[in-house]
Amino acid sequence: MHAEKLPPQTFRRVRPPYRAVKQGPVKVRRRVKTKNIKVILSQLKYKNIFILVAVLMTVSWVITLPFRGRPVSETPLTTPESSVSPTLVPPYVPPVPKQTPEDLGFAYNIRRQPYQRYSPQLQEIVDELVNIAEEKGLPTESLSISLIDVSSQDIHTFAGYQSQVLRYPASVSKLFWMAAFYGAVEQGLIDDESKFHQDLRLMMQKSHNDSASKILDGITDTKSGVKLAGEKLNTWLEKRKSVNEFFQKAGYQRLIVSTKNYPRYSPSQTSPVGRDRQLRKEDGKFLRNLISTDHATRLMYEIYTRQAVSRKYSTRMAYLLTRDLRPEAWQNDPYNGVKGFLGESLPANIYFGSKVGFTTKHRMDVAFVRTLDDKAIYILAIFAEDAAYAQDEEIFPKLSRHVYDRMMTMGSQ
């Protein structure tokens, strides 16, 4: 008997039961509220930023702590290249056999005058300036001009008109006091240079007479006051005249820069009194400061070739002489030293340094000019001892522009 066949789905495959596996205790995870994750990340971000800022502020405070409470330094710092001209290089001159240097005491460091060659081409320019003054009806016997071309690396050339005539320089004497001051610092005759920095700036950039008085006193270890007599007067006169000898020993012949400028306001004085008046009387003559345009251009040359006193101090002097020729920089400054002088008519984008002098009877200026492309590099000094020049604010800018245009033409050739 055959078994009955059933449909395949009638039978189910029965799987054997799984073996029991020992399992450890189930770890229960804490539920995290996902809705606060963005808030937490945001808080963490701002917290890190806050910590970083706090750390930087703390470090900055610690670094500057040693300097807190100290006065700001008045040291004339070297300004950017746009303000101080690059160093000029004097032409090579075969050295003279060295001899045992004579101890001249307090004296300017450059004993010999710079080697420069006379230039007929520059003389033409100087003669043209004299003609311009004549055409304006201005007297030329009271005029002196010196011009030095320093654009060539091979030779520096010069020309002039009555350039060795000694004239009253007005405030141009402050250029010489600045150099003598740094000479005194270099030789250790001034203990604390920093206390004079503000007066140096006022003297050179504002032509402040009271500050100039303090500088001259510091150089010579003298003070103005009542009349003196006997040995006290002789000692005082010797000290004050040492500033003349400082330059005379270096070949600045017959130069006098020992008299202060007036008026002074503290104390109020319109002219020298007391021992300052005694200084100006010699052999029955009434003496005053005397400088030639050759003296002025020589010192300016030595400053811009970084030879005056030292390279470091020449750089400081060049900084103090620098003038900003942009009209907006000087038009509202009554002590600008640009309006009516050599810088007014020149382009603003040049290197320019100058020291002017002015009274009701004098108009004086000595300037260093250097274009950015070096086509024209020169030093020009014009002294005019006559009220007609003092009253004419156009003559110096006109003469200066004529020199600039002619020097640019020469540079292009």
PDB file of all heavy atoms in Angstrom, residues 5 20 58 65 92 115 150 167 206 224 227 235 260 264 281 301-302 339 352 363 372 381 393 406 411:
ATOM      1  N   LYS A   5       0.675  10.757  -1.268  1.00  0.00           N
ATOM      2  CA  LYS A   5       1.518  11.939  -1.533  1.00  0.00           C
ATOM      3  C   LYS A   5       0.770  13.206  -1.188  1.00  0.00           C
ATOM      4  O   LYS A   5      -0.336  13.417  -1.594  1.00  0.00           O
ATOM      5  CB  LYS A   5       1.937  12.008  -3.002  1.00  0.00           C
ATOM      6  CG  LYS A   5       2.923  10.912  -3.371  1.00  0.00           C
ATOM      7  CD  LYS A   5       3.382  11.122  -4.795  1.00  0.00           C
ATOM      8  CE  LYS A   5       4.409  10.078  -5.201  1.00  0.00           C
ATOM      9  NZ  LYS A   5       4.906  10.263  -6.560  1.00  0.00           N
ATOM     10  N   ALA A  20      21.929  28.510  23.641  1.00  0.00           N
ATOM     11  CA  ALA A  20      21.898  29.713  24.499  1.00  0.00           C
ATOM     12  C   ALA A  20      23.292  30.287  24.639  1.00  0.00           C
ATOM     13  O   ALA A  20      24.238  29.561  24.918  1.00  0.00           O
ATOM     14  CB  ALA A  20      21.338  29.364  25.863  1.00  0.00           C
ATOM     15  N   THR A  58      46.665  89.806  27.818  1.00  0.00           N
ATOM     16  CA  THR A  58      47.537  89.600  28.981  1.00  0.00           C
ATOM     17  C   THR A  58      48.997  89.646  28.582  1.00  0.00           C
ATOM     18  O   THR A  58      49.831  90.285  29.228  1.00  0.00           O
ATOM     19  CB  THR A  58      47.218  88.252  29.649  1.00  0.00           C
ATOM     20  OG1 THR A  58      45.840  88.234  30.028  1.00  0.00           O
ATOM     21  CG2 THR A  58      48.085  88.043  30.887  1.00  0.00           C
ATOM     22  N   LEU A  65      54.731  96.247  30.289  1.00  0.00           N
ATOM     23  CA  LEU A  65      54.805  96.639  31.693  1.00  0.00           C
ATOM     24  C   LEU A  65      56.084  97.386  32.049  1.00  0.00           C
ATOM     25  O   LEU A  65      56.054  98.391  32.751  1.00  0.00           O
ATOM     26  CB  LEU A  65      54.641  95.397  32.580  1.00  0.00           C
ATOM     27  CG  LEU A  65      54.609  95.658  34.098  1.00  0.00           C
ATOM     28  CD1 LEU A  65      53.426  96.557  34.445  1.00  0.00           C
ATOM     29  CD2 LEU A  65      54.519  94.344  34.870  1.00  0.00           C
ATOM     30  N   TYR A  92      85.645 109.796  -5.201  1.00  0.00           N
ATOM     31  CA  TYR A  92      86.876 109.251  -4.627  1.00  0.00           C
ATOM     32  C   TYR A  92      88.027 110.238  -4.816  1.00  0.00           C
ATOM     33  O   TYR A  92      88.251 110.756  -5.908  1.00  0.00           O
ATOM     34  CB  TYR A  92      87.244 107.923  -5.283  1.00  0.00           C
ATOM     35  CG  TYR A  92      88.582 107.390  -4.814  1.00  0.00           C
ATOM     36  CD1 TYR A  92      88.723 106.796  -3.570  1.00  0.00           C
ATOM     37  CD2 TYR A  92      89.717 107.519  -5.625  1.00  0.00           C
ATOM     38  CE1 TYR A  92      89.942 106.322  -3.128  1.00  0.00           C
ATOM     39  CE2 TYR A  92      90.951 107.044  -5.199  1.00  0.00           C
ATOM     40  CZ  TYR A  92      91.057 106.439  -3.952  1.00  0.00           C
ATOM     41  OH  TYR A  92      92.266 105.973  -3.520  1.00  0.00           O
ATOM     42  N   TYR A 115      86.534 118.151  -1.926  1.00  0.00           N
ATOM     43  CA  TYR A 115      87.129 118.370  -3.240  1.00  0.00           C
ATOM     44  C   TYR A 115      86.013 118.519  -4.268  1.00  0.00           C
ATOM     45  O   TYR A 115      85.220 117.594  -4.493  1.00  0.00           O
ATOM     46  CB  TYR A 115      88.042 117.218  -3.630  1.00  0.00           C
ATOM     47  CG  TYR A 115      88.572 117.341  -5.043  1.00  0.00           C
ATOM     48  CD1 TYR A 115      89.541 118.291  -5.347  1.00  0.00           C
ATOM     49  CD2 TYR A 115      88.086 116.537  -6.067  1.00  0.00           C
ATOM     50  CE1 TYR A 115      90.018 118.429  -6.638  1.00  0.00           C
ATOM     51  CE2 TYR A 115      88.561 116.661  -7.364  1.00  0.00           C
ATOM     52  CZ  TYR A 115      89.525 117.619  -7.644  1.00  0.00           C
ATOM     53  OH  TYR A 115      89.982 117.759  -8.934  1.00  0.00           O
ATOM     54  N   VAL A 150      75.730 117.660  -7.205  1.00  0.00           N
ATOM     55  CA  VAL A 150      76.230 116.401  -6.634  1.00  0.00           C
ATOM     56  C   VAL A 150      75.577 115.195  -7.302  1.00  0.00           C
ATOM     57  O   VAL A 150      75.497 114.113  -6.716  1.00  0.00           O
ATOM     58  CB  VAL A 150      75.991 116.364  -5.107  1.00  0.00           C
ATOM     59  CG1 VAL A 150      76.879 117.353  -4.405  1.00  0.00           C
ATOM     60  CG2 VAL A 150      74.535 116.643  -4.768  1.00  0.00           C
ATOM     61  N   ARG A 167      78.055 137.385   5.462  1.00  0.00           N
ATOM     62  CA  ARG A 167      76.819 138.131   5.656  1.00  0.00           C
ATOM     63  C   ARG A 167      76.128 137.671   6.938  1.00  0.00           C
ATOM     64  O   ARG A 167      76.351 136.560   7.424  1.00  0.00           O
ATOM     65  CB  ARG A 167      75.875 137.937   4.459  1.00  0.00           C
ATOM     66  CG  ARG A 167      76.478 138.385   3.122  1.00  0.00           C
ATOM     67  CD  ARG A 167      75.427 138.401   2.025  1.00  0.00           C
ATOM     68  NE  ARG A 167      76.009 138.715   0.721  1.00  0.00           N
ATOM     69  CZ  ARG A 167      76.303 139.935   0.280  1.00  0.00           C
ATOM     70  NH1 ARG A 167      76.056 140.992   1.065  1.00  0.00           N
ATOM     71  NH2 ARG A 167      76.815 140.122  -0.915  1.00  0.00           N
ATOM     72  N   LYS A 206      60.826 124.939  13.555  1.00  0.00           N
ATOM     73  CA  LYS A 206      60.023 126.144  13.757  1.00  0.00           C
ATOM     74  C   LYS A 206      60.879 127.391  13.897  1.00  0.00           C
ATOM     75  O   LYS A 206      60.342 128.490  14.046  1.00  0.00           O
ATOM     76  CB  LYS A 206      59.157 125.989  15.015  1.00  0.00           C
ATOM     77  CG  LYS A 206      58.225 124.787  15.005  1.00  0.00           C
ATOM     78  CD  LYS A 206      57.213 124.858  13.885  1.00  0.00           C
ATOM     79  CE  LYS A 206      56.272 123.667  13.913  1.00  0.00           C
ATOM     80  NZ  LYS A 206      55.292 123.699  12.794  1.00  0.00           N
ATOM     81  N   SER A 224      73.106 133.330  29.493  1.00  0.00           N
ATOM     82  CA  SER A 224      72.942 134.776  29.375  1.00  0.00           C
ATOM     83  C   SER A 224      72.687 135.364  30.757  1.00  0.00           C
ATOM     84  O   SER A 224      72.237 134.677  31.673  1.00  0.00           O
ATOM     85  CB  SER A 224      71.785 135.104  28.441  1.00  0.00           C
ATOM     86  OG  SER A 224      72.029 134.596  27.147  1.00  0.00           O
ATOM     87  N   LYS A 227      75.925 141.876  33.099  1.00  0.00           N
ATOM     88  CA  LYS A 227      77.301 142.101  32.664  1.00  0.00           C
ATOM     89  C   LYS A 227      78.294 141.452  33.629  1.00  0.00           C
ATOM     90  O   LYS A 227      78.038 141.308  34.817  1.00  0.00           O
ATOM     91  CB  LYS A 227      77.593 143.599  32.576  1.00  0.00           C
ATOM     92  CG  LYS A 227      76.891 144.306  31.425  1.00  0.00           C
ATOM     93  CD  LYS A 227      77.321 145.776  31.363  1.00  0.00           C
ATOM     94  CE  LYS A 227      76.693 146.480  30.174  1.00  0.00           C
ATOM     95  NZ  LYS A 227      77.134 147.893  30.083  1.00  0.00           N
ATOM     96  N   THR A 235      86.507 134.376  30.883  1.00  0.00           N
ATOM     97  CA  THR A 235      86.174 132.948  30.846  1.00  0.00           C
ATOM     98  C   THR A 235      84.882 132.711  30.076  1.00  0.00           C
ATOM     99  O   THR A 235      84.787 131.801  29.249  1.00  0.00           O
ATOM    100  CB  THR A 235      86.046 132.391  32.279  1.00  0.00           C
ATOM    101  OG1 THR A 235      87.286 132.570  32.963  1.00  0.00           O
ATOM    102  CG2 THR A 235      85.677 130.916  32.261  1.00  0.00           C
ATOM    103  N   LYS A 260      73.357 134.998  19.892  1.00  0.00           N
ATOM    104  CA  LYS A 260      71.996 134.457  19.879  1.00  0.00           C
ATOM    105  C   LYS A 260      71.091 135.257  18.940  1.00  0.00           C
ATOM    106  O   LYS A 260      71.396 136.394  18.580  1.00  0.00           O
ATOM    107  CB  LYS A 260      71.417 134.463  21.298  1.00  0.00           C
ATOM    108  CG  LYS A 260      72.124 133.503  22.244  1.00  0.00           C
ATOM    109  CD  LYS A 260      71.457 133.455  23.607  1.00  0.00           C
ATOM    110  CE  LYS A 260      72.136 132.415  24.493  1.00  0.00           C
ATOM    111  NZ  LYS A 260      71.490 132.309  25.827  1.00  0.00           N
ATOM    112  N   ARG A 264      63.782 137.271  21.821  1.00  0.00           N
ATOM    113  CA  ARG A 264      63.539 136.145  22.718  1.00  0.00           C
ATOM    114  C   ARG A 264      62.340 136.485  23.587  1.00  0.00           C
ATOM    115  O   ARG A 264      62.077 137.646  23.866  1.00  0.00           O
ATOM    116  CB  ARG A 264      64.766 135.877  23.590  1.00  0.00           C
ATOM    117  CG  ARG A 264      65.960 135.304  22.829  1.00  0.00           C
ATOM    118  CD  ARG A 264      67.189 135.219  23.727  1.00  0.00           C
ATOM    119  NE  ARG A 264      66.916 134.416  24.915  1.00  0.00           N
ATOM    120  CZ  ARG A 264      67.645 134.489  26.034  1.00  0.00           C
ATOM    121  NH1 ARG A 264      68.655 135.337  26.115  1.00  0.00           N
ATOM    122  NH2 ARG A 264      67.351 133.722  27.062  1.00  0.00           N
ATOM    123  N   LYS A 281      80.776 143.309  21.322  1.00  0.00           N
ATOM    124  CA  LYS A 281      81.675 144.457  21.207  1.00  0.00           C
ATOM    125  C   LYS A 281      83.114 143.968  21.243  1.00  0.00           C
ATOM    126  O   LYS A 281      83.549 143.346  22.196  1.00  0.00           O
ATOM    127  CB  LYS A 281      81.434 145.456  22.342  1.00  0.00           C
ATOM    128  CG  LYS A 281      80.199 146.308  22.163  1.00  0.00           C
ATOM    129  CD  LYS A 281      80.135 147.391  23.219  1.00  0.00           C
ATOM    130  CE  LYS A 281      78.959 148.327  22.982  1.00  0.00           C
ATOM    131  NZ  LYS A 281      78.911 149.411  23.984  1.00  0.00           N
ATOM    132  N   TYR A 301      76.408 120.019   2.457  1.00  0.00           N
ATOM    133  CA  TYR A 301      77.028 118.935   1.683  1.00  0.00           C
ATOM    134  C   TYR A 301      77.553 117.849   2.613  1.00  0.00           C
ATOM    135  O   TYR A 301      77.366 116.654   2.373  1.00  0.00           O
ATOM    136  CB  TYR A 301      78.166 119.521   0.834  1.00  0.00           C
ATOM    137  CG  TYR A 301      78.981 118.507   0.072  1.00  0.00           C
ATOM    138  CD1 TYR A 301      78.595 118.101  -1.203  1.00  0.00           C
ATOM    139  CD2 TYR A 301      80.149 117.959   0.609  1.00  0.00           C
ATOM    140  CE1 TYR A 301      79.355 117.173  -1.919  1.00  0.00           C
ATOM    141  CE2 TYR A 301      80.905 117.045  -0.091  1.00  0.00           C
ATOM    142  CZ  TYR A 301      80.496 116.647  -1.355  1.00  0.00           C
ATOM    143  OH  TYR A 301      81.245 115.725  -2.056  1.00  0.00           O
ATOM    144  N   GLU A 302      78.215 118.245   3.676  1.00  0.00           N
ATOM    145  CA  GLU A 302      78.810 117.270   4.591  1.00  0.00           C
ATOM    146  C   GLU A 302      77.747 116.512   5.386  1.00  0.00           C
ATOM    147  O   GLU A 302      77.942 115.353   5.756  1.00  0.00           O
ATOM    148  CB  GLU A 302      79.801 117.988   5.509  1.00  0.00           C
ATOM    149  CG  GLU A 302      81.059 118.409   4.767  1.00  0.00           C
ATOM    150  CD  GLU A 302      81.872 119.484   5.466  1.00  0.00           C
ATOM    151  OE1 GLU A 302      81.375 120.078   6.441  1.00  0.00           O
ATOM    152  OE2 GLU A 302      83.007 119.753   5.024  1.00  0.00           O
ATOM    153  N   LYS A 339      57.047 128.955   2.379  1.00  0.00           N
ATOM    154  CA  LYS A 339      56.456 130.088   1.665  1.00  0.00           C
ATOM    155  C   LYS A 339      57.451 131.237   1.562  1.00  0.00           C
ATOM    156  O   LYS A 339      58.021 131.683   2.557  1.00  0.00           O
ATOM    157  CB  LYS A 339      55.194 130.563   2.380  1.00  0.00           C
ATOM    158  CG  LYS A 339      54.495 131.730   1.670  1.00  0.00           C
ATOM    159  CD  LYS A 339      53.198 132.083   2.353  1.00  0.00           C
ATOM    160  CE  LYS A 339      52.548 133.309   1.729  1.00  0.00           C
ATOM    161  NZ  LYS A 339      52.312 133.126   0.278  1.00  0.00           N
ATOM    162  N   PHE A 352      63.760 117.004   0.019  1.00  0.00           N
ATOM    163  CA  PHE A 352      64.064 118.419   0.205  1.00  0.00           C
ATOM    164  C   PHE A 352      64.371 118.681   1.671  1.00  0.00           C
ATOM    165  O   PHE A 352      63.608 118.314   2.572  1.00  0.00           O
ATOM    166  CB  PHE A 352      62.877 119.284  -0.231  1.00  0.00           C
ATOM    167  CG  PHE A 352      63.142 120.771  -0.156  1.00  0.00           C
ATOM    168  CD1 PHE A 352      63.829 121.417  -1.162  1.00  0.00           C
ATOM    169  CD2 PHE A 352      62.698 121.516   0.939  1.00  0.00           C
ATOM    170  CE1 PHE A 352      64.077 122.787  -1.104  1.00  0.00           C
ATOM    171  CE2 PHE A 352      62.937 122.883   1.020  1.00  0.00           C
ATOM    172  CZ  PHE A 352      63.626 123.518  -0.005  1.00  0.00           C
ATOM    173  N   ARG A 363      66.741 138.000   3.753  1.00  0.00           N
ATOM    174  CA  ARG A 363      66.081 136.756   3.322  1.00  0.00           C
ATOM    175  C   ARG A 363      67.185 135.778   2.943  1.00  0.00           C
ATOM    176  O   ARG A 363      67.961 136.021   2.017  1.00  0.00           O
ATOM    177  CB  ARG A 363      65.134 136.999   2.142  1.00  0.00           C
ATOM    178  CG  ARG A 363      64.301 135.765   1.789  1.00  0.00           C
ATOM    179  CD  ARG A 363      63.331 136.059   0.645  1.00  0.00           C
ATOM    180  NE  ARG A 363      62.304 137.010   1.041  1.00  0.00           N
ATOM    181  CZ  ARG A 363      61.158 136.694   1.648  1.00  0.00           C
ATOM    182  NH1 ARG A 363      60.907 135.427   1.940  1.00  0.00           N
ATOM    183  NH2 ARG A 363      60.283 137.624   1.949  1.00  0.00           N
ATOM    184  N   LEU A 372      63.398 112.135  -7.251  1.00  0.00           N
ATOM    185  CA  LEU A 372      63.314 110.703  -6.976  1.00  0.00           C
ATOM    186  C   LEU A 372      64.028 109.865  -8.022  1.00  0.00           C
ATOM    187  O   LEU A 372      64.488 108.749  -7.733  1.00  0.00           O
ATOM    188  CB  LEU A 372      61.841 110.278  -6.881  1.00  0.00           C
ATOM    189  CG  LEU A 372      61.007 110.983  -5.805  1.00  0.00           C
ATOM    190  CD1 LEU A 372      59.607 110.389  -5.748  1.00  0.00           C
ATOM    191  CD2 LEU A 372      61.676 110.896  -4.442  1.00  0.00           C
ATOM    192  N   ALA A 381      72.399 127.746  -2.040  1.00  0.00           N
ATOM    193  CA  ALA A 381      72.282 128.737  -0.963  1.00  0.00           C
ATOM    194  C   ALA A 381      72.186 130.124  -1.579  1.00  0.00           C
ATOM    195  O   ALA A 381      72.964 130.471  -2.468  1.00  0.00           O
ATOM    196  CB  ALA A 381      73.483 128.670  -0.019  1.00  0.00           C
ATOM    197  N   GLU A 393      58.305 138.274  -1.646  1.00  0.00           N
ATOM    198  CA  GLU A 393      58.106 136.854  -1.381  1.00  0.00           C
ATOM    199  C   GLU A 393      58.170 135.991  -2.635  1.00  0.00           C
ATOM    200  O   GLU A 393      58.116 134.772  -2.546  1.00  0.00           O
ATOM    201  CB  GLU A 393      56.750 136.626  -0.696  1.00  0.00           C
ATOM    202  CG  GLU A 393      56.681 137.153   0.724  1.00  0.00           C
ATOM    203  CD  GLU A 393      55.431 136.700   1.446  1.00  0.00           C
ATOM    204  OE1 GLU A 393      54.498 136.211   0.775  1.00  0.00           O
ATOM    205  OE2 GLU A 393      55.380 136.814   2.693  1.00  0.00           O
ATOM    206  N   ARG A 406      66.776 124.144 -14.874  1.00  0.00           N
ATOM    207  CA  ARG A 406      68.060 124.039 -15.580  1.00  0.00           C
ATOM    208  C   ARG A 406      68.812 122.764 -15.175  1.00  0.00           C
ATOM    209  O   ARG A 406      69.428 122.107 -16.014  1.00  0.00           O
ATOM    210  CB  ARG A 406      68.906 125.267 -15.287  1.00  0.00           C
ATOM    211  CG  ARG A 406      68.352 126.537 -15.880  1.00  0.00           C
ATOM    212  CD  ARG A 406      68.635 126.635 -17.374  1.00  0.00           C
ATOM    213  NE  ARG A 406      69.943 127.235 -17.599  1.00  0.00           N
ATOM    214  CZ  ARG A 406      71.002 126.610 -18.131  1.00  0.00           C
ATOM    215  NH1 ARG A 406      70.926 125.335 -18.458  1.00  0.00           N
ATOM    216  NH2 ARG A 406      72.134 127.261 -18.316  1.00  0.00           N
ATOM    217  N   GLY A 411      70.421 117.115 -16.300  1.00  0.00           N
ATOM    218  CA  GLY A 411      70.319 115.711 -15.952  1.00  0.00           C
ATOM    219  C   GLY A 411      69.798 114.855 -17.081  1.00  0.00           C
ATOM    220  O   GLY A 411      70.234 113.702 -17.263  1.00  0.00           O
TER     221      GLY A 411
END
